[in-house]
Amino acid sequence: MTFEELGVSAPICRAVAELGYQQPMPVQEAVIPYLLGEPIDLIALAQTGTGKTAAFGLPLLQNVERSLSSSGGATGVPRALVLCPTRELCLQIADDLTAYSKYQPTVRILPVYGGSSIEAQIRTLRRGVEVIVATPGRLIDLMERGAASLDAIETVVLDEADEMLTMGFSESLQTILSQVPRERHLLLFSATMPREISSIAASYMHEPKEIIVGTKNEGNKNIRHYYYVVSARHKYLALKRIADYYPDIYGIIFCRTRKETQEIADQLIRDGYNADALHGELSQAQRDYVMQKFRIRNLQLLVATDVAARGLDVNDLTHVIHYGLPDDIESYTHRSGRTARAGKLGISIAICHSRERGRLRDIERISHATIERKQLPSGSEICQKQLFHLADRIERVELTDDTTLDTVLPDLVRKLDWIDREELVRRLMLLEHRRLLDYYESEEVIEEADDKGRLPSEPKEGKKRDKRNAVAEEGMKRLFINFGKLDRMFPNKLIELINKCVPGRVKIGKIDLLPRFSFFEVEEADAQEVIRSMSSYEVDGRRIAVDYADALGSEGSGRKERRPKRSAGGFDSERKPHRKGGARSGEGAFDKYKDKDRTKRSRSRR
Ligand code: AMP
C-alpha cells in the first residue's frame, strides 16, 4: 500500500517522500481513508511513536486545502484544530504539519501554547492561519480575548487525549468542543482508554468509528520488558550496573518525585555519568536547556518525573528505566512507549523492591506485556560488554590528521614493534579489564531477590505480616475501606481522599493495600468521624464504605479475597559508561574507573 493508494494528494505525497516515508505505517493505513471521506468521528487507540501525527495530519491538511479551493480562496480562517497536552508536543505536531504541507503554500499552521507571548500569537492569528495546534488553556485564553474564532472549524483532533484528561484539561476540552460547529470531524487519539474518554465520546461524538492499532492497552511489541528485584538500599547500585551493562544506552530514568529525580541525577553526575535531571522545580529555561541537550544526544541519561517528561519529543530511546514502579498502569505504558518507536527495538527496565512484585503482575495483566525477571549482570559480564564496546569504538574512530600524534606515532610504532598483533590487543584490553574488575570487586554486594522473588533479608513465607489480621498500633484504630489496588487505590490517593473527607487534621498510620480492599489506621479519636465522612463519598462513581476492621469478624480475613459483607457500615448496600561529552562521542565507561579515588569518594558519600 502506498500513500497515493490511500488517496493522499500529490503535493503531500511529495513532502512525505522527502521526509523518507516510503510507505504508510499501520495506523496511517487504518485512519487516512476514513478521514479523506465524508466527515465522521473517530477514536483511534494507538501508542505514541506509531505514526499517528501523519495519520491525522495528512488528511487534515488535504481537507483544509480542498475546503480552501471550494470556498473560493477565503483564506486566513482556522479550518482545523489540533489539541494536545503540552507545549513540546504542540511544537512537535506543528513542525510535522509544516513539513507535510511544504508544497501547500495556502495552508498556514500556528502553534499556540502557554508560556510564550500571547500578543505575538494574537498578531499571527489576525494575519490569518488555517490550522491551529494548541494546548487547551492557551486556546481558551485566545478565544476569550476574541482572537481565535472556531466558527469555521471542520476538523478537531484531540491528540494524547488520555494525557489531557490526566492533566486536568477535561473542563477546558468541553468548553472548546462546545464552541466548534457540530458538523465536523472529531478525531480522538489516545494510547489508553480511560473511562473519561468514553464520556467525551458519548457527549461530543456521533457514532464514532473505533480503530485499534494493536490491542487495547497493549504495549508495543518491539519493547522487551525486564525487571530486577533488589533491596531498597541497593537500587542505585543496581541502576549503575544496568547503565554500565549497556554502554550505548540513550534513555530516560523515571523517578517518582522531584526530590528523588534530582538526587539520582546528582549521584550519577558525581559518579561520572553523562546524566541530568528534568522536573517541575526547574525553570522553563532550565528545562528547555536539558531537553535540548538530551534531544541532540549531548546527554545520555535523562532522569525525569513523569510530568516533566510529558511531551518530550525524543525518538530512538534505547531504554526506559523505571526507578521504582509508577502508581498507575497507564503511566507504565506511557513511560515504556517512549522507547521502540517507529519499528525499532527498545528495552523497558523496572528496578523494583520485592514489595512491588504484586503491582508488576497487575501491570503485566492489564497492559498485556510480559515482564521478564532478570538477574543483575555480574562485574565480569559488564567487563566483557565494555571491552566489546571499546573494540567497537576502536573500529569506528575517525582517523583524522593530528600533528601531535603524527609526530610521535612512528616512534610509538617502533617501540611496540616487538609485540605481535594478538598480544598487543591482549595487553590493551587487559589494561582496561583490570581497572573494571578492580572497580567491581571493591563494590558492595547487591542484595538481589531469589527465584521466588524473596530478598535474603526478608522474612520467609508464613512469617510475613498478615495484612488482613494485623492489629493497630497503640492509640490508633484500624479501618477497612472497600477499595483496593485493583481499583487504583494507592497510598497517596488514599491519604488525599482521607484529607479531602476530613480536612487537615487526621493522623494516618499504617496503610495495607490488598487487591480489592484495604486497611488503614487513624487515631482512635478520629475514627468515627473518618467512617462517617468517608462513607458519603464516591470514587469513580462507586460509593466508599469504611468501617472498623475488627467489626468484620473473620470475613475480612478469609482466604479468598471477597468484599466483606457488612451492614452497619453500609457495605451491603452497594456492592558511565557515560562521561560528559556526548552520547555519540564514543566516550566510554573506562574513564570513570580511572580515578579510583573519586569512585571511592563518591561511594563513601552514599
Ligand atoms: P508519531 O507517532 O507521529 O510521533 O511518529 C513517530 C515517528 O515515525 C516520527 O519520527 C515520524 O516522523 C515517523 N513516521 C511517521 N510516519 C512514517 C512513515 N510512514 N514512514 C516512516 N516514518 C514515519
Side-chain angles (χ1 to χ4, degrees):
M1 188 62 89
T2 61
F3 283 107
E4 284 86 351
E5 283 163 352
L6 292 178
V8 177
S9 68
I12 298 180
C13 284
R14 190 173 157 202
V16 293
E18 284 180 16
L19 291 172
Y21 297 6
Q22 288 168 353
Q23 62 188 62
M25 290 168 83
V27 67
Q28 294 158 2
E29 267 188 33
V31 166
I32 291 175
Y34 281 107
L35 303 190
L36 289 177
E38 288 300 304
I40 56 150
D41 292 339
L42 182 138
I43 299 178
L45 277 178
Q47 306 292 320
T48 43
T50 50
K52 59 194 170 69
T53 317
F56 66 73
L58 306 189
L60 175 149
L61 293 165
Q62 187 161 328
N63 289 341
V64 167
E65 192 169 34
R66 189 172 58 193
S67 143
L68 285 174
S69 50
S70 67
S71 62
T75 57
V77 191
R79 312 258 169 177
L81 171 65
V82 181
L83 293 167
C84 58
T86 61
R87 108 193 179 117
E88 285 77 18
L89 186 58
C90 177
L91 285 167
Q92 187 198 340
I93 295 171
D95 273 356
D96 285 350
L97 296 186
T98 306
Y100 302 150
S101 61
K102 183 173 174 192
Y103 298 107
Q104 296 178 290
T106 51
V107 181
R108 286 163 295 178
I109 295 143
L110 175 69
V112 300
Y113 47 88
S116 61
S117 155
I118 196 162
E119 282 74 27
Q121 290 171 1
I122 293 174
R123 278 196 301 278
T124 316
L125 281 166
R126 296 232 164 96
R127 280 201 297 276
V129 300
E130 285 69 34
V131 180
I132 299 179
V133 185
T135 52
R138 176 52 63 96
L139 181 65
I140 290 186
D141 212 347
L142 289 164
M143 284 157 62
E144 282 169 357
R145 293 174 188 227
S149 155
L150 306 184
D151 296 344
I153 294 289
E154 291 160 3
T155 306
V156 181
V157 180
L158 308 184
D159 193 17
E160 301 210 350
D162 48 352
E163 286 286 311
M164 285 199 275
L165 295 173
T166 313
M167 290 173 76
F169 285 133
S170 174
E171 248 177 60
S172 307
L173 289 183
Q174 311 220 7
T175 308
I176 296 167
L177 289 176
S178 64
Q179 296 196 32
V180 292
R182 282 198 68 76
E183 27 334 298
R184 37 69 187 142
H185 280 296
L186 177 55
L187 320 173
L188 191 151
F189 283 78
S190 191
T192 55
M193 189 69 182
R195 215 173 299 161
E196 297 91 321
I197 299 235
S198 315
S199 88
I200 291 206
S203 315
Y204 294 98
M205 296 181 126
H206 180 62
E207 295 178 4
K209 166 102 197 123
E210 197 174 307
I211 289 178
I212 301 169
V213 180
T215 318
K216 259 186 209 182
N217 285 338
E218 184 179 333
N220 182 333
K221 285 270 181 270
N222 289 334
I223 307 175
R224 304 276 170 276
H225 297 266
Y226 301 143
Y227 74 98
Y228 298 87
V229 184
V230 295
S231 67
R233 72 194 170 91
H234 287 143
K235 258 169 86 178
Y236 176 70
L237 284 183
L239 171 67
K240 285 206 308 173
R241 281 222 178 173
I242 292 164
D244 288 351
Y245 189 65
Y246 296 105
D248 278 325
I249 190 169
Y250 173 55
I252 303 183
I253 299 161
F254 283 98
C255 295
R256 291 162 63 98
T257 62
R258 295 168 182 187
K259 187 166 171 276
E260 186 181 56
T261 303
Q262 192 61 57
E263 280 169 7
I264 298 299
D266 287 347
Q267 270 183 315
L268 285 170
I269 294 165
R270 272 204 302 267
D271 287 347
Y273 293 80
N274 180 13
D276 213 336
L278 183 71
H279 55 74
E281 257 159 43
L282 305 175
S283 68
Q284 185 65 48
Q286 285 171 316
R287 271 182 280 163
D288 285 346
Y289 174 67
V290 173
M291 284 198 262
Q292 183 56 10
K293 263 201 310 181
F294 190 57
R295 238 175 245 130
I296 61 172
R297 292 187 171 225
N298 263 351
L299 194 63
Q300 204 167 357
L301 294 169
L302 181 71
V303 192
T305 56
D306 289 277
V307 176
R310 270 183 198 138
L312 175 69
D313 54 322
V314 172
N315 291 320
D316 293 342
L317 290 187
T318 59
H319 291 74
V320 164
I321 298 181
H322 312 264
Y323 195 75
L325 290 173
D327 276 344
D328 57 288
I329 291 156
E330 274 149 26
S331 294
Y332 181 89
T333 312
H334 271 291
R335 287 175 173 188
S336 308
R338 292 184 158 278
T339 182
R341 299 237 174 146
K344 300 207 170 109
L345 286 180
I347 297 179
S348 167
I349 290 176
I351 305 174
C352 330
H353 186 266
S354 58
R355 279 197 299 273
E356 292 180 303
R357 286 193 314 258
R359 196 125 54 85
L360 212 54
R361 297 283 83 88
D362 292 344
I363 291 176
E364 260 194 326
R365 203 185 56 249
I366 295 174
S367 67
H368 302 287
T370 306
I371 310 180
E372 196 187 325
R373 169 79 197 284
K374 286 269 185 191
Q375 292 292 333
L376 283 171
S378 65
S380 65
E381 282 168 323
I382 293 175
C383 289
Q384 281 183 21
K385 269 271 191 133
Q386 295 279 0
L387 291 178
F388 270 100
H389 179 64
L390 176 64
D392 278 347
R393 282 169 56 204
I394 293 173
E395 281 177 340
R396 287 198 310 248
V397 78
E398 270 182 50
L399 296 174
T400 50
D401 292 334
D402 180 322
T403 43
T404 329
L405 193 64
D406 289 346
T407 323
V408 71
L409 201 62
D411 291 338
L412 287 174
V413 172
R414 211 169 309 121
K415 179 163 174 30
L416 299 177
D417 207 20
W418 61 276
I419 310 174
D420 71 28
R421 184 185 144 84
E422 196 180 323
E423 197 180 330
L424 189 64
V425 174
R426 190 182 176 79
R427 282 169 185 261
L428 192 70
M429 294 294 167
L430 216 63
L431 277 179
E432 295 301 340
H433 200 197
R434 274 206 195 114
R435 211 155 47 208
L436 286 165
L437 275 181
D438 281 356
Y439 173 80
Y440 279 107
E441 271 164 15
S442 61
E443 193 188 67
E444 198 180 335
V445 176
I446 300 181
E447 199 178 65
E448 255 191 289
D450 62 16
D451 284 350
K452 293 198 177 98
R454 235 173 14 219
L455 288 166
S457 56
E458 212 175 49
K460 296 262 181 289
E461 211 64 51
K463 285 192 189 159
K464 265 197 200 151
R465 197 167 150 264
D466 181 350
K467 287 182 177 182
R468 289 172 203 167
N469 289 323
V471 179
E473 280 179 22
E474 214 178 303
M476 305 293 276
K477 262 291 176 200
R478 189 168 165 81
L479 304 183
F480 161 91
I481 179 167
N482 62 334
F483 277 72
K485 283 187 274 189
L486 289 178
D487 309 304
R488 299 159 56 110
M489 182 59 73
F490 298 110
N492 52 355
K493 192 165 166 191
L494 182 60
I495 293 167
E496 224 171 77
L497 191 68
I498 299 168
N499 286 329
K500 198 160 125 196
C501 296
V502 189
R505 56 180 183 81
V506 179
K507 185 174 167 225
I508 303 161
K510 206 166 284 155
I511 294 176
D512 282 327
L513 295 171
L514 288 142
R516 298 188 183 284
F517 51 86
S518 308
F519 298 96
F520 61 98
E521 291 174 15
V522 295
E523 278 185 319
E524 259 171 11
D526 294 328
Q528 193 56 44
E529 171 67 358
V530 170
I531 293 172
R532 199 189 55 74
S533 305
M534 290 188 77
S535 296
S536 62
Y537 261 74
E538 285 192 355
V539 170
D540 295 337
R542 218 176 91 211
R543 229 188 92 196
I544 296 175
V546 176
D547 203 352
Y548 292 110
D550 50 17
L552 299 173
S554 57
E555 296 278 2
S557 56
R559 289 182 58 191
K560 285 252 159 47
E561 273 170 16
R562 284 172 283 151
R563 282 173 200 270
K565 286 189 202 145
R566 272 282 308 168
S567 50
F571 305 154
D572 261 348
S573 55
E574 26 229 288
R575 290 287 340 145
K576 212 163 191 190
H578 323 287
R579 305 272 298 154
K580 293 244 186 254
R584 281 271 174 250
S585 70
E587 288 282 335
F590 303 99
D591 312 276
K592 183 171 45 137
Y593 308 98
K594 280 183 190 142
D595 180 359
K596 274 207 212 143
D597 286 347
R598 187 192 56 201
T599 313
K600 277 188 196 130
R601 268 200 309 277
S602 56
R603 238 199 315 278
S604 65
R605 263 194 292 267
R606 286 195 296 281

